[in-house]
């Protein structure tokens, strides 16, 4: 039996593949090993996953865990140790979320895999492992086209009174924010990236407005230029996307990609279904 996980900082999606190919689904809190110690990791796994599994832990033969914070080093080793203690007979692998996306959207074929959610990331995937990647710089230095970038551009346009009158009025009615509140949240509050990304929903609901359509299109165009088109022979490979922003704005994303000579294949909200197929094969 195979257990597969795709974990963010807030939640973890699990799939259990039984001996006859049947799939069971589970959801637990996020298991970022950078932010949680051994006791917290073990507690979440025991209380939210193990007790609900239909089989004894010793019957799990393979565990593939992909998640935020699972870069090589001590945090990943700590999480792998917790998983090995819980599933003593299993082969355990812990990998980062970019490899999860690559395997989830590309399967066993070479391609360019991209994350387009709150933040952004990308890599060239050879069909089994990540062969190369453009550095992800986070929401301050990069993340063009991601949710935080979209929110940042919207807020800047609002504060500079660049929004069309109808969009400006809708924004005021929805949020009723002044400059001091925005500046405080962005520069003094925690999780500024998530705060900024929260405004992407407003853009989505008004995405037919020419100003906001162009804002999203511009963000995706910059992402393609600074990421996808940096890979050698990018035009020869399919490009895949995972993440809420790419998924919900897929029409604009495909248009921008077409205009840049980029062939987009899969756009998914998350990689867990594809990961399940990958490990079945």
């Amino acid at each position: 039996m195979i257990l597969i996980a795709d974990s963010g900082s807030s939640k973890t999606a699990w799939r259990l593949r039984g001996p006859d190919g049947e799939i069971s689904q589970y959801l637990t809190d996020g298991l970022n090993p950078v932010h949680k110690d051994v006791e917290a990791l073990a507690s979440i796994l025991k209380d939210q996953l193990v007790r609900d599994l239909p089989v004894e832990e010793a019957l799990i033969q393979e565990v593939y865990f992909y998640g935020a914070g699972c870069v090589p080093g001590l945090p990943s080793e700590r999480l792998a140790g917790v998983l090995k203690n819980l599933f003593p007979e299993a082969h355990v692998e812990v990998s980062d979320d970019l490899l999860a996306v690559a395997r989830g959207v590309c399967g066993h074929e070479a391609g360019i895999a991209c994350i387009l959610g709150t933040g952004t990331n990308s890599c060239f995937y050879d069909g089994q492992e990540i062969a190369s990647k453009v550095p992800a710089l986070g929401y301050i230095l990069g993340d063009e086209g991601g949710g935080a970038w979209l929110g940042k551009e919207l807020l800047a346009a609002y504060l500079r009174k660049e929004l069309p009158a109808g969009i400006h009025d809708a924004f005021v009615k929805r949020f009723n924010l002044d400059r001091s509140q925005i500046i405080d949240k962005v520069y003094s509050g925690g999780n500024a990236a998530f705060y900024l990304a929260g405004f992407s929903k407003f853009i989505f609901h008004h995405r037919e407005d020419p100003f906001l359509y162009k804002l999203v299109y511009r963000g995706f165009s910059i992402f393609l230029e600074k990421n996808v088109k940096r890979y050698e022979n990018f035009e020869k490979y399919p490009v895949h996307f995972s993440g809420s922003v790419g998924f919900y704005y897929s029409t604009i994303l495909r248009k921008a990609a077409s205009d840049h000579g980029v062939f987009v294949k899969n756009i998914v909200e998350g990689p867990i279904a594809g990961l399940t197929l990958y490990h079945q094969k």
Side-chain angles (χ1 to χ4, degrees):
M1 303 187 79
I2 301 175
L3 191 60
I4 305 159
D6 171 43
S7 182
S9 292
S10 60
K11 63 182 179 180
T12 304
W14 297 83
R15 298 291 186 272
L16 175 67
R17 180 181 181 272
D20 297 323
E22 69 275 14
I23 304 295
S24 301
Q25 304 181 27
Y26 307 91
L27 189 67
T28 70
D29 290 345
L31 291 159
N32 188 325
V34 173
H35 299 151
K36 290 183 170 63
D37 59 21
V38 168
E39 290 75 18
L41 294 170
S43 177
I44 291 170
L45 287 164
K46 290 176 182 177
D47 296 342
Q48 300 181 25
L49 176 69
V50 172
R51 69 181 184 183
D52 293 328
L53 293 176
V55 297
E56 294 294 325
E57 296 93 292
L59 295 178
I60 305 295
Q61 299 165 309
E62 300 171 55
V63 178
Y64 299 97
F65 188 99
Y66 302 86
C70 293
V71 294
L74 184 58
S76 293
E77 293 169 6
R78 184 164 60 237
L79 176 58
V82 173
L83 290 167
K84 190 65 180 177
N85 285 336
L86 290 172
F87 305 104
E89 302 301 318
H91 166 75
V92 174
E93 289 186 15
V94 175
S95 305
D96 68 13
D97 51 354
L98 186 56
L99 183 60
V101 168
R103 288 178 171 174
V105 294
C106 298
H108 293 275
E109 298 181 354
I112 297 170
C114 306
I115 295 175
L116 200 52
T118 296
T120 68
N121 207 343
S122 69
C123 69
F124 178 76
Y125 172 74
D126 64 10
Q128 191 167 12
E129 301 291 342
I130 293 173
S132 63
K133 57 185 177 181
V134 175
L137 302 178
Y139 76 100
I140 294 177
L141 297 179
D143 279 354
E144 295 88 354
W149 185 92
L150 293 175
K152 179 180 68 174
E153 293 295 306
L154 175 69
L155 290 179
Y158 166 69
L159 292 173
R160 290 171 176 154
K161 301 188 184 304
E162 296 172 346
L163 294 177
I167 298 299
H168 178 90
D169 293 344
F171 185 91
V172 171
K173 183 178 180 180
R174 171 67 180 83
F175 299 107
N176 192 30
L177 294 171
D178 60 29
R179 180 182 180 280
S180 63
Q181 291 173 305
I182 293 172
I183 296 299
D184 181 65
K185 280 286 188 179
V186 172
Y187 293 102
S188 301
N191 290 325
F194 290 99
Y195 172 74
L196 293 169
F199 293 97
S200 174
K201 293 181 180 179
F202 175 86
I203 298 174
F204 179 77
H205 289 308
H206 297 86
R207 65 193 181 280
E208 300 300 327
D209 176 85
F211 181 92
L212 295 183
Y213 182 97
K214 290 178 182 177
L215 188 158
V216 176
Y217 179 94
R218 177 165 58 90
F220 291 164
S221 293
I222 298 172
F223 175 85
L224 294 167
E225 289 283 358
K226 292 184 177 295
N227 292 271
V228 174
K229 297 174 76 170
R230 294 279 305 280
Y231 295 104
E232 187 176 1
N233 298 320
F234 73 88
E235 67 278 0
K236 295 182 180 180
Y237 295 96
V239 181
H240 312 267
F241 289 84
S242 177
S244 58
V245 171
F247 183 77
Y248 286 102
Y249 290 99
S250 61
T251 300
I252 304 177
L253 177 57
R254 289 187 182 278
K255 169 61 176 169
S258 177
D259 291 346
H260 282 268
V262 172
F263 168 56
V264 173
K265 191 173 181 181
N266 297 318
I267 302 178
V268 300
E269 190 170 9
I272 188 65
L275 280 173
T276 306
L277 289 173
Y278 176 89
H279 286 292
Q280 278 185 260
K281 297 177 181 179

Short mmCIF file of all heavy atoms in Angstrom, two decimals, residues 81-127:
data_model
loop_
_atom_site.label_atom_id
_atom_site.label_comp_id
_atom_site.label_asym_id
_atom_site.label_seq_id
_atom_site.Cartn_x
_atom_site.Cartn_y
_atom_site.Cartn_z
N GLY A 81 12.00 10.99 9.82
CA GLY A 81 12.12 10.16 11.01
C GLY A 81 10.77 9.91 11.68
O GLY A 81 10.48 8.79 12.13
N VAL A 82 9.94 10.95 11.74
CA VAL A 82 8.61 10.80 12.33
C VAL A 82 7.77 9.83 11.50
O VAL A 82 7.08 8.95 12.04
CB VAL A 82 7.91 12.18 12.41
CG1 VAL A 82 6.45 12.01 12.85
CG2 VAL A 82 8.65 13.09 13.38
N LEU A 83 7.83 9.97 10.19
CA LEU A 83 7.06 9.09 9.31
C LEU A 83 7.55 7.64 9.43
O LEU A 83 6.74 6.70 9.45
CB LEU A 83 7.18 9.56 7.86
CG LEU A 83 6.46 10.86 7.53
CD1 LEU A 83 6.90 11.39 6.17
CD2 LEU A 83 4.95 10.65 7.54
N LYS A 84 8.86 7.48 9.55
CA LYS A 84 9.41 6.13 9.67
C LYS A 84 9.00 5.48 10.98
O LYS A 84 8.74 4.26 11.03
CB LYS A 84 10.94 6.19 9.56
CG LYS A 84 11.61 4.83 9.43
CD LYS A 84 11.22 4.15 8.13
CE LYS A 84 11.90 2.79 7.99
NZ LYS A 84 11.47 2.08 6.77
N ASN A 85 8.90 6.26 12.04
CA ASN A 85 8.46 5.72 13.32
C ASN A 85 7.00 5.27 13.25
O ASN A 85 6.63 4.26 13.86
CB ASN A 85 8.62 6.77 14.42
CG ASN A 85 10.06 6.95 14.84
OD1 ASN A 85 10.88 6.04 14.67
ND2 ASN A 85 10.39 8.11 15.37
N LEU A 86 6.19 6.01 12.52
CA LEU A 86 4.77 5.67 12.42
C LEU A 86 4.51 4.53 11.45
O LEU A 86 3.58 3.75 11.64
CB LEU A 86 3.97 6.91 11.99
CG LEU A 86 3.85 8.02 13.03
CD1 LEU A 86 3.20 9.25 12.40
CD2 LEU A 86 3.04 7.56 14.23
N PHE A 87 5.33 4.45 10.41
CA PHE A 87 5.15 3.41 9.39
C PHE A 87 6.46 2.63 9.27
O PHE A 87 7.24 2.81 8.33
CB PHE A 87 4.76 4.05 8.05
CG PHE A 87 3.55 4.94 8.13
CD1 PHE A 87 3.68 6.33 8.12
CD2 PHE A 87 2.28 4.40 8.25
CE1 PHE A 87 2.57 7.15 8.21
CE2 PHE A 87 1.16 5.21 8.35
CZ PHE A 87 1.30 6.60 8.33
N PRO A 88 6.73 1.75 10.22
CA PRO A 88 8.06 1.13 10.37
C PRO A 88 8.47 0.22 9.22
O PRO A 88 9.66 -0.01 9.03
CB PRO A 88 7.93 0.34 11.68
CG PRO A 88 6.46 0.11 11.84
CD PRO A 88 5.80 1.32 11.28
N GLU A 89 7.52 -0.29 8.46
CA GLU A 89 7.85 -1.20 7.36
C GLU A 89 7.93 -0.49 6.02
O GLU A 89 8.20 -1.12 5.00
CB GLU A 89 6.79 -2.32 7.27
CG GLU A 89 6.64 -3.14 8.55
CD GLU A 89 7.95 -3.81 8.94
OE1 GLU A 89 8.64 -4.32 8.05
OE2 GLU A 89 8.29 -3.80 10.15
N ALA A 90 7.73 0.82 6.02
CA ALA A 90 7.62 1.55 4.75
C ALA A 90 8.94 2.14 4.29
O ALA A 90 9.78 2.55 5.09
CB ALA A 90 6.58 2.66 4.89
N HIS A 91 9.08 2.21 2.98
CA HIS A 91 10.12 3.03 2.37
C HIS A 91 9.61 4.47 2.38
O HIS A 91 8.52 4.74 1.88
CB HIS A 91 10.37 2.56 0.93
CG HIS A 91 11.17 3.53 0.12
ND1 HIS A 91 12.52 3.71 0.27
CD2 HIS A 91 10.78 4.41 -0.84
CE1 HIS A 91 12.95 4.63 -0.57
NE2 HIS A 91 11.92 5.08 -1.26
N VAL A 92 10.37 5.40 2.96
CA VAL A 92 9.90 6.78 3.15
C VAL A 92 10.77 7.74 2.33
O VAL A 92 12.00 7.69 2.41
CB VAL A 92 9.94 7.20 4.64
CG1 VAL A 92 9.60 8.68 4.79
CG2 VAL A 92 8.98 6.33 5.45
N GLU A 93 10.12 8.61 1.56
CA GLU A 93 10.82 9.67 0.83
C GLU A 93 10.15 11.01 1.14
O GLU A 93 8.91 11.10 1.11
CB GLU A 93 10.79 9.43 -0.68
CG GLU A 93 11.65 8.27 -1.15
CD GLU A 93 11.71 8.18 -2.66
OE1 GLU A 93 11.33 9.16 -3.35
OE2 GLU A 93 12.13 7.11 -3.18
N VAL A 94 10.96 12.02 1.45
CA VAL A 94 10.45 13.37 1.71
C VAL A 94 11.08 14.31 0.69
O VAL A 94 12.31 14.38 0.58
CB VAL A 94 10.79 13.84 3.14
CG1 VAL A 94 10.36 15.29 3.35
CG2 VAL A 94 10.10 12.93 4.17
N SER A 95 10.25 15.03 -0.06
CA SER A 95 10.73 15.92 -1.12
C SER A 95 9.99 17.25 -1.05
O SER A 95 8.94 17.36 -0.40
CB SER A 95 10.52 15.28 -2.50
OG SER A 95 11.11 14.00 -2.58
N ASP A 96 10.50 18.25 -1.77
CA ASP A 96 9.88 19.57 -1.69
C ASP A 96 8.67 19.70 -2.60
O ASP A 96 8.37 18.82 -3.41
CB ASP A 96 10.90 20.68 -1.96
CG ASP A 96 11.41 20.70 -3.39
OD1 ASP A 96 10.81 20.04 -4.26
OD2 ASP A 96 12.40 21.40 -3.64
N ASP A 97 7.95 20.83 -2.45
CA ASP A 97 6.70 21.02 -3.17
C ASP A 97 6.90 21.25 -4.66
O ASP A 97 5.98 20.98 -5.45
CB ASP A 97 5.89 22.16 -2.55
CG ASP A 97 6.70 23.44 -2.38
OD1 ASP A 97 7.91 23.43 -2.63
OD2 ASP A 97 6.10 24.45 -1.96
N LEU A 98 8.06 21.71 -5.08
CA LEU A 98 8.29 21.90 -6.51
C LEU A 98 8.39 20.56 -7.23
O LEU A 98 7.86 20.41 -8.34
CB LEU A 98 9.56 22.74 -6.73
CG LEU A 98 9.85 23.13 -8.18
CD1 LEU A 98 8.68 23.89 -8.80
CD2 LEU A 98 11.12 23.97 -8.28
N LEU A 99 9.05 19.59 -6.61
CA LEU A 99 9.09 18.25 -7.21
C LEU A 99 7.70 17.64 -7.25
O LEU A 99 7.35 16.93 -8.19
CB LEU A 99 10.05 17.35 -6.44
CG LEU A 99 10.24 15.93 -7.01
CD1 LEU A 99 10.78 15.99 -8.43
CD2 LEU A 99 11.17 15.10 -6.12
N ALA A 100 6.88 17.94 -6.23
CA ALA A 100 5.49 17.46 -6.23
C ALA A 100 4.75 17.97 -7.45
O ALA A 100 4.05 17.22 -8.14
CB ALA A 100 4.78 17.92 -4.96
N VAL A 101 4.90 19.25 -7.72
CA VAL A 101 4.24 19.84 -8.88
C VAL A 101 4.78 19.23 -10.18
O VAL A 101 4.02 18.87 -11.08
CB VAL A 101 4.40 21.37 -8.89
CG1 VAL A 101 3.97 21.97 -10.22
CG2 VAL A 101 3.60 21.98 -7.75
N ALA A 102 6.11 19.11 -10.27
CA ALA A 102 6.71 18.56 -11.49
C ALA A 102 6.20 17.16 -11.78
O ALA A 102 5.79 16.85 -12.91
CB ALA A 102 8.23 18.56 -11.35
N ARG A 103 6.21 16.30 -10.77
CA ARG A 103 5.72 14.93 -10.98
C ARG A 103 4.21 14.90 -11.16
O ARG A 103 3.69 14.07 -11.91
CB ARG A 103 6.15 14.06 -9.81
CG ARG A 103 7.64 13.74 -9.80
CD ARG A 103 8.06 12.91 -8.60
NE ARG A 103 9.44 12.45 -8.74
CZ ARG A 103 10.11 11.80 -7.81
NH1 ARG A 103 9.52 11.51 -6.65
NH2 ARG A 103 11.36 11.42 -8.02
N GLY A 104 3.52 15.81 -10.47
CA GLY A 104 2.06 15.81 -10.54
C GLY A 104 1.53 16.27 -11.88
O GLY A 104 0.50 15.78 -12.35
N VAL A 105 2.21 17.23 -12.53
CA VAL A 105 1.69 17.76 -13.80
C VAL A 105 2.39 17.16 -15.02
O VAL A 105 1.79 17.06 -16.09
CB VAL A 105 1.78 19.30 -13.85
CG1 VAL A 105 0.86 19.92 -12.82
CG2 VAL A 105 3.21 19.79 -13.67
N CYS A 106 3.66 16.77 -14.87
CA CYS A 106 4.40 16.22 -16.01
C CYS A 106 4.36 14.69 -16.06
O CYS A 106 4.59 14.11 -17.13
CB CYS A 106 5.86 16.66 -15.96
SG CYS A 106 6.14 18.43 -16.04
N GLY A 107 4.11 14.06 -14.93
CA GLY A 107 4.14 12.60 -14.90
C GLY A 107 5.54 12.09 -15.12
O GLY A 107 6.48 12.49 -14.43
N HIS A 108 5.69 11.23 -16.12
CA HIS A 108 7.01 10.66 -16.43
C HIS A 108 7.59 11.26 -17.71
O HIS A 108 8.51 10.68 -18.30
CB HIS A 108 6.91 9.14 -16.55
CG HIS A 108 6.60 8.46 -15.25
ND1 HIS A 108 7.57 8.13 -14.33
CD2 HIS A 108 5.42 8.09 -14.70
CE1 HIS A 108 7.01 7.56 -13.28
NE2 HIS A 108 5.71 7.52 -13.47
N GLU A 109 7.06 12.40 -18.14
CA GLU A 109 7.55 13.05 -19.36
C GLU A 109 8.28 14.34 -19.02
O GLU A 109 7.94 15.03 -18.06
CB GLU A 109 6.38 13.35 -20.29
CG GLU A 109 5.63 12.12 -20.77
CD GLU A 109 4.49 12.46 -21.70
OE1 GLU A 109 4.23 13.68 -21.87
OE2 GLU A 109 3.86 11.54 -22.24
N ALA A 110 9.27 14.68 -19.81
CA ALA A 110 10.02 15.92 -19.61
C ALA A 110 9.13 17.12 -19.90
O ALA A 110 8.26 17.08 -20.78
CB ALA A 110 11.25 15.94 -20.51
N GLY A 111 9.35 18.20 -19.16
CA GLY A 111 8.58 19.41 -19.38
C GLY A 111 8.99 20.50 -18.41
O GLY A 111 9.87 20.31 -17.56
N ILE A 112 8.35 21.63 -18.53
CA ILE A 112 8.58 22.75 -17.63
C ILE A 112 7.39 22.83 -16.68
O ILE A 112 6.24 22.90 -17.13
CB ILE A 112 8.75 24.06 -18.40
CG1 ILE A 112 10.00 23.98 -19.30
CG2 ILE A 112 8.87 25.25 -17.45
CD1 ILE A 112 10.14 25.12 -20.28
N ALA A 113 7.65 22.76 -15.39
CA ALA A 113 6.60 22.78 -14.38
C ALA A 113 6.65 24.10 -13.62
O ALA A 113 7.73 24.54 -13.22
CB ALA A 113 6.77 21.60 -13.42
N CYS A 114 5.50 24.70 -13.41
CA CYS A 114 5.42 26.01 -12.76
C CYS A 114 4.41 26.00 -11.62
O CYS A 114 3.36 25.36 -11.72
CB CYS A 114 5.01 27.09 -13.76
SG CYS A 114 6.03 27.18 -15.24
N ILE A 115 4.73 26.74 -10.58
CA ILE A 115 3.78 27.02 -9.50
C ILE A 115 3.31 28.46 -9.69
O ILE A 115 4.12 29.37 -9.83
CB ILE A 115 4.43 26.86 -8.12
CG1 ILE A 115 4.81 25.40 -7.88
CG2 ILE A 115 3.49 27.34 -7.02
CD1 ILE A 115 5.58 25.17 -6.57
N LEU A 116 2.00 28.64 -9.73
CA LEU A 116 1.42 29.98 -9.86
C LEU A 116 0.28 30.09 -8.87
O LEU A 116 -0.89 29.88 -9.19
CB LEU A 116 0.94 30.19 -11.30
CG LEU A 116 0.74 31.62 -11.79
CD1 LEU A 116 1.97 32.47 -11.56
CD2 LEU A 116 0.37 31.63 -13.27
N GLY A 117 0.65 30.37 -7.62
CA GLY A 117 -0.33 30.51 -6.55
C GLY A 117 -0.09 31.82 -5.83
O GLY A 117 0.07 32.86 -6.48
N THR A 118 -0.06 31.80 -4.51
CA THR A 118 0.30 33.01 -3.76
C THR A 118 1.67 33.50 -4.20
O THR A 118 1.88 34.69 -4.43
CB THR A 118 0.32 32.72 -2.25
OG1 THR A 118 -0.99 32.38 -1.83
CG2 THR A 118 0.80 33.93 -1.47
N GLY A 119 2.61 32.58 -4.34
CA GLY A 119 3.92 32.86 -4.90
C GLY A 119 4.11 32.10 -6.18
O GLY A 119 3.17 31.46 -6.69
N THR A 120 5.32 32.15 -6.74
CA THR A 120 5.58 31.46 -8.00
C THR A 120 6.91 30.71 -7.93
O THR A 120 7.78 31.04 -7.13
CB THR A 120 5.64 32.45 -9.19
OG1 THR A 120 6.79 33.28 -9.06
CG2 THR A 120 4.39 33.31 -9.23
N ASN A 121 7.04 29.73 -8.80
CA ASN A 121 8.28 28.96 -8.91
C ASN A 121 8.24 28.20 -10.23
O ASN A 121 7.16 28.10 -10.86
CB ASN A 121 8.43 28.00 -7.73
CG ASN A 121 9.88 27.67 -7.40
OD1 ASN A 121 10.77 27.90 -8.22
ND2 ASN A 121 10.12 27.16 -6.21
N SER A 122 9.36 27.68 -10.63
CA SER A 122 9.39 26.92 -11.89
C SER A 122 10.62 26.03 -11.92
O SER A 122 11.58 26.23 -11.18
CB SER A 122 9.40 27.87 -13.10
OG SER A 122 10.64 28.55 -13.18
N CYS A 123 10.58 25.04 -12.82
CA CYS A 123 11.74 24.16 -13.01
C CYS A 123 11.63 23.46 -14.35
O CYS A 123 10.55 23.38 -14.95
CB CYS A 123 11.84 23.12 -11.89
SG CYS A 123 10.52 21.87 -11.93
N PHE A 124 12.76 22.96 -14.82
CA PHE A 124 12.76 22.02 -15.95
C PHE A 124 12.88 20.62 -15.35
O PHE A 124 13.79 20.35 -14.55
CB PHE A 124 13.91 22.28 -16.91
CG PHE A 124 13.92 21.28 -18.04
CD1 PHE A 124 13.02 21.38 -19.09
CD2 PHE A 124 14.80 20.20 -18.02
CE1 PHE A 124 13.00 20.43 -20.11
CE2 PHE A 124 14.79 19.25 -19.04
CZ PHE A 124 13.88 19.38 -20.09
N TYR A 125 11.98 19.75 -15.74
CA TYR A 125 11.85 18.41 -15.17
C TYR A 125 12.15 17.39 -16.27
O TYR A 125 11.61 17.49 -17.38
CB TYR A 125 10.43 18.26 -14.64
CG TYR A 125 10.01 16.89 -14.17
CD1 TYR A 125 10.46 16.37 -12.98
CD2 TYR A 125 9.11 16.14 -14.92
CE1 TYR A 125 10.04 15.13 -12.53
CE2 TYR A 125 8.68 14.90 -14.49
CZ TYR A 125 9.15 14.40 -13.29
OH TYR A 125 8.72 13.17 -12.86
N ASP A 126 13.04 16.43 -15.97
CA ASP A 126 13.48 15.49 -17.00
C ASP A 126 12.63 14.23 -17.11
O ASP A 126 12.97 13.31 -17.85
CB ASP A 126 14.94 15.12 -16.78
CG ASP A 126 15.17 14.36 -15.46
OD1 ASP A 126 14.19 13.94 -14.81
OD2 ASP A 126 16.35 14.18 -15.07
N GLY A 127 11.54 14.19 -16.39
CA GLY A 127 10.68 13.00 -16.40
C GLY A 127 10.77 12.19 -15.14
O GLY A 127 9.96 11.30 -14.89
#
